[in-house]
Amino acid sequence: MGLVSGLVVLVALAIGFTIAAVQLQAAAAAYLGGQSVWSRAQIASVHYLDRYGRTGSPEALEQARSWLTVPLSDLEARKAMEREPLDYEKAREGMIRGRNHPDDVARMIWLFRHFSDVGHLHRAVEVWRESDQTILALERIAHNLETEWGRPSPEPERLSALREELGDVNSRAEPLTRRFRESMTEAARWMTRILSITSIAFLAVIALAAWLMGWGLVRLLRGSEEKFRAIFEQAAVGMAQVSESGRILDANTALCDLMAYPRETLLGLRYRDLVHPDDWASGREQARDVMTGELSNYTLEQRLLSGSGVAVWARLTVSRMTHKSRGAPDFIVIMEDVSESHRLSVELTHQATHDALTGLFNRRAFERRLSESLARARAEQSHHVLCFIDLDQFKLINDTSGHAAGDRVLCQVVDIFEEILRDGDMLARLGGDEFGIVLENCELDTATHIVERLRRALEETAFVWDERRYNISCSVGLVPITARSQDVESLHRAADIACYMAKEQGRNRLYVSREDDQQLVEQRGQMEWLNRIRDALQDDRLFLDAQLIVPSGHNGELRYEVLVRLRNEEGEVVPPGTFLPAAERFGAAHQIDRWVIERVLSQLAAHPEHLDKLESCHINLSGRSFDQPDFQSFVIDAFDRHRVPARKICFEITETAAVNNLAEAIEFMTRLGKRGCRFALDDFGTGLSSFSYLRRLPVDYLKIDGIFVRDMATDNTDLAMVRAINDIGQTLNKKTIAEFVENDETTRMLADMGVDYCQGFGLHRPCRFETLLCERAEGPASKPPR
């Protein structure tokens, strides 16, 4: 009986071992299939999130979130499996939401709970945990993209940065996917080897008792073989057994479906017959290393030729399996269809280097090409040319006819450029209405001729939209790329300055940068003011002066304009004409505007008696501030924080800034006007284009440009201009302010003419704003200081 009991125990152990082996193999195969689904879901999530980042399409976001549910559900399932005690229902629910087959879920949970800390399975689980940050990053990017598109005016720079982050996340996910697949494949191979060794041991023991359990053992082995065969046949991925000579010995149903061949046909082929000829060389070295035993397995992607004639991109994992009985190795090949993933990857790569609207290369690809051209110029002593192109007055098309018209213009411009440029020249859209060209192997004179043809062709082209006709022109800066060029950044800066010089000289022209160009040297000096201005803001070296604006009737009201000033590093006051134009040209003016608004409101809030007596404080605004999408919100927040009544502030905007930023200026004036702010159109009269827009601008004051006021007492033309501007203002019920009033005679003439206010050195020389706040605390003087 003891022997019989022992044999029964052995049989029970054998049966248990066989079942466990089947469960292990099935669970491992299920994890490989689940990884395939996880990989496709991750790639599809990136694809649709990128499309959503470009287009803002709700359908794309919905698709992305649908696919993202798969890896997120797998993550929740794994955390449930890691809990003590096991949260079985939550783990099962997460696995099924992760698109794992319900029949496989129980064995997958069992394998994780009992073997996740063992060998290769442990490494696979660690890779799975590493992927959490990638999946959570995709979820966060989806949320940020949805938030950005939910804004009234999404920021292109923010969307572009999120898309770049998306590309980085995608690139980090790919090696994790590969490592997980390799670890699971190695785990499957390791389990096969361990199970094989253990099986031999069991068989040896059971052979000693064959007279008791021979017929049962045969039946058990036959059942085990059928189960293993079922696993092979029912696997979701294609599997094949290949001989050392390359002949296909066996193939499962999934592989037959993948390759569109019946099993009988596949078994008569060599593996090489299925590979696309262009990919015959790929994987050759790895295959040799596996055959010699230096590698146990390898993974690569190849194009396979299916029976339908369609090329299928497949990810292949090849493992060595040696038959000790005959010495010759066979190979197990696992094939996963990655055609869609490959297509999405190619599409994402194209999108990362190309502009979505025009199909041109984007800034990133352009800078890479420019760097290559510079390296070639240094290595080969060759000559190339860099061109920066900026369309003139393009913003006017967007403001008057909408962005659809602007997009159409950009595409038409690209068509014109591509017809003229040579093969091999690179054309890229750098952003907005800016383009870059690298003319390869081209002397500067030849490049000038080519770009001049391009400029003339653009000038001669008329664009029509909704019965409106627009003439398009461009300003171009050209810079030679030679072995003496410093670096890419210097080339960029020189081309940008040259383009700016073309605009300064009247637009619709070329400016060629040369090494001895003094104008560019001066312009570069102005650009250096950018850093000096930023340092001054950081070191609190800006301060405010103020100049009274005196009513012609001397009614005693307190009104003045604040004027920003700057001290240099040595403490000396820098003339406004030195740093303000540089700030306006090179994008620092909006920072100065914010500093002035914040400082003025805080000072007024700190002097409530002065604030009560104040009629109006005038603050100048740069046109660059209207390019900032959050500027309106900043101003409103500043009023709310300092609790200064909006009616106490009058914002002055130059007519040039108002006309060039018409839509933004009107929106700003309308929104702040509802709070009580008033507005003055500064330097009115120098740019007569503003007359046609004056009715649309909700301004309260016209400031007559001082170039007409200064000499009006001796120049009849200036006198006529002042009178005409004042008449226009009075006709439109707007008060007028004359600048540069420098003597009593001019003051009297302006009062007789009916000008409402005067401002200038003849009435008051600017003083420190703090001084004016203290001196005027008890009310304005009866007569302004001289």
Side-chain angles (χ1 to χ4, degrees), residues 44 57 123 148 172 337 346 416 452 483-484 508 532 576 606:
S57 168
R123 286 196 288 274
E148 192 63 28
R172 293 199 304 271
D337 185 358
V346 171
I416 295 172
E452 178 60 26
R484 295 187 299 275
N508 192 24
R532 299 182 66 183

Side-chain angles (χ1 to χ4, degrees), residues 236-513:
V237 294
M239 299 180 68
Q241 183 179 356
V242 181
S243 70
E244 183 181 18
S245 62
R247 292 286 178 183
I248 298 176
L249 303 178
D250 199 0
N252 68 352
T253 303
L255 180 60
C256 295
D257 294 340
L258 173 64
M259 298 307 302
Y261 279 115
R263 186 190 302 270
E264 296 76 14
T265 304
L266 277 179
L267 298 184
L269 296 176
R270 295 182 305 163
Y271 172 73
R272 180 185 174 93
D273 297 333
L274 300 178
V275 180
H276 192 285
D278 292 345
D279 290 349
W280 280 349
S282 66
R284 184 175 296 170
E285 293 183 4
Q286 295 97 315
R288 184 173 59 249
D289 292 341
V290 167
M291 293 185 67
T292 59
E294 295 182 22
L295 285 178
S296 58
N297 62 79
Y298 66 92
T299 299
L300 79 163
E301 291 187 2
Q302 283 184 327
R303 283 169 293 177
L304 304 179
L305 298 175
S306 67
S308 61
V310 177
V312 177
W313 274 99
R315 182 181 291 118
L316 310 177
T317 301
V318 182
S319 301
R320 176 188 173 96
M321 182 177 66
T322 302
H323 291 278
K324 292 187 177 180
S325 60
R326 55 190 177 89
D330 288 345
F331 301 93
I332 295 296
V333 181
I334 299 175
M335 301 183 185
E336 179 187 355
D337 185 358
V338 294
S339 299
E340 180 65 13
S341 301
H342 188 271
R343 185 189 66 79
L344 294 176
S345 178
V346 171
E347 183 177 339
L348 285 173
T349 301
H350 182 272
Q351 292 170 357
T353 56
H354 288 73
D355 174 57
L357 174 64
T358 62
L360 297 177
F361 288 104
N362 59 16
R363 180 179 287 274
R364 176 185 296 179
F366 182 76
E367 290 180 350
R368 186 182 303 118
R369 177 68 169 272
L370 181 58
S371 179
E372 293 171 356
S373 297
L374 178 58
R376 195 157 49 250
R378 290 171 174 171
E380 304 171 0
Q381 299 299 310
S382 54
H383 293 79
H384 319 286
V385 176
L386 167 64
C387 305
F388 270 17
I389 302 175
D390 194 342
L391 301 185
D392 299 328
Q393 303 297 340
F394 176 75
K395 191 174 185 298
L396 182 63
I397 299 176
N398 279 336
D399 289 344
T400 56
S401 295
H403 289 281
D407 291 347
R408 180 70 177 276
V409 168
L410 290 175
C411 293
Q412 185 172 339
V413 167
V414 169
D415 291 341
I416 295 172
F417 288 176
E418 289 181 334
E419 287 181 3
I420 295 174
L421 292 176
R422 308 167 306 167
D423 294 338
D425 293 336
M426 182 186 193
L427 173 64
R429 185 184 179 200
L430 305 182
D433 58 348
E434 297 178 348
F435 297 88
I437 302 174
V438 175
L439 296 166
E440 296 283 352
N441 299 310
C442 186
E443 297 293 338
L444 191 57
D445 292 340
T446 304
T448 302
H449 176 71
I450 294 173
V451 177
E452 178 60 26
R453 284 178 53 211
L454 183 150
R455 185 200 64 77
R456 286 200 306 270
L458 196 61
E459 181 183 34
E460 294 167 358
T461 301
F463 175 74
V464 179
W465 182 272
D466 285 344
E467 299 182 355
R468 288 189 177 184
R469 182 185 180 91
Y470 297 99
N471 292 321
I472 311 170
S473 64
C474 63
S475 300
V476 188
L478 282 76
V479 177
I481 305 172
T482 67
R484 295 187 299 275
S485 301
Q486 294 183 10
D487 50 36
V488 170
E489 182 179 354
S490 299
L491 288 170
H492 265 294
R493 186 164 56 249
D496 192 28
I497 295 174
C499 184
Y500 181 81
M501 294 297 295
K503 284 187 174 293
E504 285 281 286
Q505 294 179 1
R507 304 180 186 273
N508 192 24
R509 66 190 62 225
L510 280 60
Y511 189 95
V512 180
S513 171

Side-chain angles (χ1 to χ4, degrees), residues 49 65 68 72 134-144:
L49 282 177
R65 290 198 184 282
L68 195 54
L72 286 173
T134 301
I135 299 307
L136 294 175
L138 290 178
E139 185 179 33
R140 174 176 52 75
I141 291 172
H143 174 74
N144 290 341

Side-chain angles (χ1 to χ4, degrees), residues 2-18 201-210 212-213 217 220:
L3 180 59
V4 172
S5 299
L7 291 175
V8 171
V9 171
L10 285 175
V11 171
L13 288 174
I15 294 173
F17 170 76
T18 303
F202 267 105
L203 289 173
V205 174
I206 292 173
L208 298 176
L212 290 175
M213 49 188 306
L217 181 60
L220 180 62

Side-chain angles (χ1 to χ4, degrees), residues 209-229:
W211 59 278
L212 290 175
M213 49 188 306
W215 65 272
L217 181 60
V218 170
R219 187 173 61 180
L220 180 62
L221 291 176
R222 184 179 296 122
S224 177
E225 181 182 354
E226 290 174 354
K227 289 179 182 179
F228 275 109
R229 185 68 190 179

